[in-house]
Each structure stands twice: as structure tokens, then as C-alpha cells.
Amino acid sequence: MERTLILVKPDAMQRGLAFEVLGRLERRGLRLAGLRLLQVDEAMAKRHYAEHEGKPFFAGLVDYITSAPIIAAVFEGTGAVEAARQTMGATKPTAAAPGTIRGDLGLEIGRNLVHGSDSPQNAEREIAIFFEGHPVIDWRRDTDRWVFE
Ligand code: IDP
Ligand code: MG
């Protein structure tokens, strides 16, 4: 089953939207397999966002993601990466479709509430960063057959 790494970013934590974000992904049908509340430090932020190192927004991005505790979650399901990104909406909230997390709840690109992996390969890389030494649980829901064909 495909897995994706979701982060509830500090703005969503500060605004009391953590379970609004997670709930939308859960209601989509994705199965929660891992969950952590943690404070990201600079080293972890730089490792996670390595592809953006050198870009003008990189320093601000590291400040943002380290500014408050976050929730890291692993969700799994058919096409989990694409499904989660669709439910999240476009990176820039004012370009994100209504009905998406970012389109309904955000305005600014640097305050866009949620992270989701952009490929199954990156999901595995990111899960290794955020769940090293922490359980990701392999389980079956009784309702799986009503969600997965
Ligand atoms: P994604 O989160 O939709 O995958 P990426 O392009 O991977 O988008 O960028 C990672 C994060 O960096 C974004 O979610 C956003 O928080 C931040 N970011 C991206 N571009 C900008 C920018 O132009 N200004 C400020 N922050 C940005
Ligand atoms: Mg990205």
C-alpha cells in the first residue's frame, strides 16, 4: 500500500487546525499508520527540505517549520501521495482550489498549513526522517473493503 508523509505545519498548530487538516485526509479514506507530535530542529528541517537549499525562501522556510511543534503523520492508501496532494491543494493557497485544505484555510505560500510528499520515493525518504525509532503500524481497518476495491 502506498504511503505518504504529512506534516501539520506550525501555522495550523497555532491556529487550532491540526485535526481539521488530519481529519480531511482521514475522511478521504486514507488510513493513518503513524503519528507524532514533535519539535523540528534546524538540522531536521534542512534534511527534510534539502531540495530547496539555496532558494530565496529557504531560510524563512526553516524558521517557519521550526517555529512551533508540528504533527507528523503517515497515511496510506491507493495513490496516497497524489490523493493527499489533491486534498491539500496547490502550494500557493490563493491558487489552490476551493474545497482543498490550502484553498479553504490559507492565504500565503509561506503559511500553507500542511506538507505532503510529492512522490512515493520521497515519502519513504521523509518517513525515515520523521519516524526514525518510532512505530509505523501495519494494520487493516474493518472498513478497508468499503474504501479500497
Ligand atoms: P509543496 O509544499 O506544495 O510540495 P514546495 O515547492 O515543495 O511545495 O515548497 C515547499 C514549501 O516551501 C512550501 O509548502 C512553502 O511552505 C514553502 N515555499 C515554497 N515556495 C515558496 C515561496 O516562494 N515563498 C515562501 N515559501 C515558499
Ligand atoms: Mg514539496
Side-chain angles (χ1 to χ4, degrees):
M1 195 67 84
E2 189 171 293
R3 303 198 296 186
T4 190
L5 186 277
I6 299 296
L7 302 178
V8 178
K9 291 177 170 179
D11 51 333
M13 301 296 293
Q14 295 280 10
R15 294 172 59 196
L17 295 172
F19 291 88
E20 170 75 31
V21 169
L22 294 171
R24 286 178 179 222
L25 295 164
E26 187 186 40
R27 286 201 298 279
R28 182 78 194 267
L30 295 169
R31 185 173 64 206
L32 189 63
L35 194 67
R36 283 189 74 194
L37 176 71
L38 73 153
Q39 174 66 51
V40 176
D41 65 16
E42 193 181 323
M44 190 184 228
K46 287 182 168 171
R47 192 175 161 205
H48 173 61
Y49 282 125
E51 64 167 313
H52 297 300
E53 197 145 14
K55 294 182 185 171
F57 61 84
F58 185 71
L61 178 57
V62 171
D63 282 349
Y64 167 46
I65 204 73
T66 59
S67 65
I70 63 153
I71 291 175
V74 177
F75 277 100
E76 50 190 15
T78 319
V81 166
E82 205 43 51
R85 288 189 65 94
Q86 187 184 46
T87 293
M88 287 159 50
T91 306
K92 187 180 173 191
T94 51
T100 64
I101 293 167
R102 289 162 167 173
D104 286 350
L105 304 173
L107 291 170
E108 301 263 356
I109 196 167
R111 298 288 183 270
N112 63 359
L113 300 139
V114 61
H115 166 84
S117 309
D118 64 6
S119 70
Q121 294 82 348
N122 265 335
E124 293 309 314
R125 183 185 73 84
E126 294 169 357
I127 290 166
I129 296 171
F130 288 92
F131 284 85
E132 192 174 37
H134 298 271
V136 176
I137 296 178
D138 186 20
W139 66 299
R140 303 286 170 270
R141 291 177 301 197
D142 293 347
T143 50
D144 277 349
R145 68 193 180 100
W146 302 109
V147 179
F148 307 132
E149 286 189 89

